Amino acid sequence: MYLLKWTRTVRQISDTRLLKSQAYLNGSFVGVGNAPVTNPSTGEVIGSVPDFGADEATEAVEAAAAAFEAWAAQTPKQRSIALRHWFELVVSAKEDLAAILTSEQGKPVSEALGEIDYAASYIEYYAEEAKRISGEVIPPHRHGVRNIALRQPIGVVAAITPWNFPAAMITRKIAPALAAGCTIVLKPAPETPLTALALAELAGRAGFPAGVVNIITGDARAIGAVLTSHPKVRLVSFTGSTEVGKLLMRQASHSVKKVALELGGNAPFIVFDDADLDAAVEGAMLSKFRNMGQTCICANRFYVQASVHDAFIEKLSRRVSELQIGDGFAEGTTQGPLISEEAILKVEAHLADAVSKGASVVVGGKRHPMGGTFFEPTVISGASSDMILARQETFGPVAPVFRFENEKDAIAAANDTESGLAAYFYSSDLSRIFRVMEKLEYGMVGINAGLLSTELAPFGGIKESGNSREGSHHGILEFTELKYASIGGITA
Ligand code: SIN
């Protein structure tokens, strides 16, 4: 059924020019597609985008800088109306966008549809929030003065986004930036540029003036070097690996740009013996296997209290063996491929290391007979702190289970990492819920919940997982500067 729909959708996409092979700079689609885009499920080349470099990145920044003054001068309501229009276009093109997303990223089309809704929710939210950026009236420090603090748009924003959420990670940055009055140059991941360009096509139709939104594709190093060094860029917003985040931070430090980072995680998922075990298993499935474990907030380490350890493994393994691996457009598919051979090699290396140090594979543990980058969803028992997967994000469908005896040990193990993005735990004891929530060193904590993402809440990490927040009213403040003004000569 989905295959038929897919054929029809591809036709619709080309009719409506949503499937792009050009980058979007200064209000026009430009360049020649010479960098291939591949479907990770079939290995087929499904499109191509320009392999741009430093010159085009500089042009994009100049275009964004030229558009900034007029865009920042629009009233919040005018910006809100443009965002609302974009939101409506994204919602009405939802099926086409999901089809593009699945074809370049691999996730099941049902999940891709969910991601488009999630992506649209940021546009809708920030269309509303554009009208609510307020400053402060500060008490005077002497007679005859009045003090205020204004929130003004920070300026040109450079954004670099990942392949795991090709739509939502883009709107989560572009929408608040535009709402605040900033203009933007965005570089999508080379694996998934088509969703980004389809969103740009819709932004163009929504009527954003030329130069306000720019999407550049191509050489990550060359483009990244311009985005982090050009004097007109005032904020670099990046979602991706901690390693690249650190590099961008170093590069941006030369011109003292603000850097907003959403980096890798190593999420613990703790199951206490007072938890509802079935609910914990369902939460574990959502947290671990969404997008084949390729999310920064997905559970990376399962800590289960000794008395419920075996029962949890049994229930989890049963649910994992029910997962259906396949092409994202095939009916019933719950798990698509991993994004690349490199990703599958990392999963295999983590598993081999764990098994060599005493872990046992309970379910899965190997490449799927479909070949390519399909991998069997996996549960392993006997995980321990000396294994690579205890310290590094596997970013794949592997659930390693560690046994613990008491709350203190579980918290210590959960916090024993440089990462601090998301953590999860299941318990029915209210005192424990507050105690553990307060002690976990993470930016986000899911309690009796395996999914926490929403446009309404601040998403972000601490420690080496990041330094900013996206979503909610906190997210828009990242794109503003606070200006203090003291006005003298006020007579009584
Ligand atoms: C991520 O992988 O960082 C994004 C996950 C989400 O927003 O739910």
Side-chain angles (χ1 to χ4, degrees), residues 18-208:
L18 271 180
L19 195 58
K20 288 294 179 186
S21 60
Q22 292 179 299
Y24 186 67
L25 303 186
N26 206 13
S28 303
F29 280 94
V30 295
V32 176
N34 48 9
V37 182
T38 305
N39 180 339
S41 171
T42 59
E44 212 186 325
V45 173
I46 53 161
S48 57
V49 290
D51 188 16
F52 279 156
D55 290 347
E56 294 85 358
T58 306
E59 275 172 39
V61 173
E62 302 288 345
F68 174 67
E69 198 179 325
W71 181 246
Q74 293 226 358
T75 64
K77 183 151 183 167
Q78 286 172 313
R79 293 199 292 267
S80 170
I81 289 167
L83 280 161
R84 180 85 208 171
H85 192 189
W86 189 29
F87 163 74
E88 280 156 7
L89 291 171
V90 168
V91 170
S92 63
K94 180 172 151 174
E95 293 206 341
D96 285 351
L97 290 168
I100 295 170
L101 199 160
T102 292
S103 64
E104 65 179 352
Q105 203 274 345
K107 67 177 68 174
V109 76
S110 53
E111 241 184 274
L113 285 164
E115 184 182 337
I116 301 302
D117 280 338
Y118 181 40
S121 75
Y122 284 103
I123 308 178
E124 182 183 43
Y125 181 86
Y126 285 111
E128 294 154 1
E129 207 59 17
K131 294 176 277 187
R132 297 191 193 112
I133 305 175
S134 308
E136 286 171 36
V137 178
I138 300 163
H141 56 295
R142 58 171 179 264
H143 291 296
V145 299
R146 295 290 184 273
N147 295 331
I148 56 172
L150 318 176
R151 288 256 169 213
Q152 293 185 301
I154 195 166
V156 174
V157 171
I160 303 176
T161 51
W163 50 261
N164 61 344
F165 289 87
M169 297 305 99
I170 287 179
T171 57
R172 192 152 93 181
K173 295 185 192 301
I174 293 190
L178 298 182
C182 300
T183 55
I184 190 154
V185 178
L186 183 136
K187 196 196 93 55
E191 295 85 351
T192 56
L194 299 176
T195 307
L197 294 167
L199 287 168
E201 163 73 24
L202 297 175
R205 292 184 200 174
F208 291 107

Side-chain angles (χ1 to χ4, degrees), residues 5 54 102 127 321 338 415 482 489:
K5 194 165 168 187
T102 292
S321 54
L338 287 167
N415 287 340
L482 196 58

Side-chain angles (χ1 to χ4, degrees), residues 374-461:
F374 287 94
F375 199 85
E376 293 178 350
T378 299
V379 177
I380 61 172
S381 62
S384 56
S385 61
D386 57 337
M387 296 173 182
I388 298 174
L389 46 65
R391 309 222 64 85
Q392 281 180 27
E393 197 177 23
T394 303
F395 229 63
V398 179
V401 183
F402 302 68
R403 182 191 293 263
F404 73 88
E405 296 297 333
N406 60 51
E407 183 182 305
K408 194 162 161 273
D409 291 350
I411 295 170
N415 287 340
D416 185 19
T417 169
E418 297 77 37
S419 304
L421 190 59
Y424 305 84
F425 68 93
Y426 275 70
S427 168
S428 57
D429 174 338
L430 190 60
S431 301
R432 169 175 270 163
I433 285 175
F434 275 91
R435 216 168 40 236
V436 176
M437 184 251 289
E438 286 162 12
K439 288 201 172 122
L440 284 171
E441 296 166 359
Y442 289 84
M444 298 175 280
V445 184
I447 303 157
N448 298 330
L451 263 189
L452 359 107
S453 309
T454 163
E455 79 282 13
L456 305 175
F459 185 106

Side-chain angles (χ1 to χ4, degrees), residues 26 39 67 72 188 215 242 308 311 399 418 472 491:
N26 206 13
N39 180 339
I215 310 270
T242 302
V308 293
E418 297 77 37
S472 81
T491 51

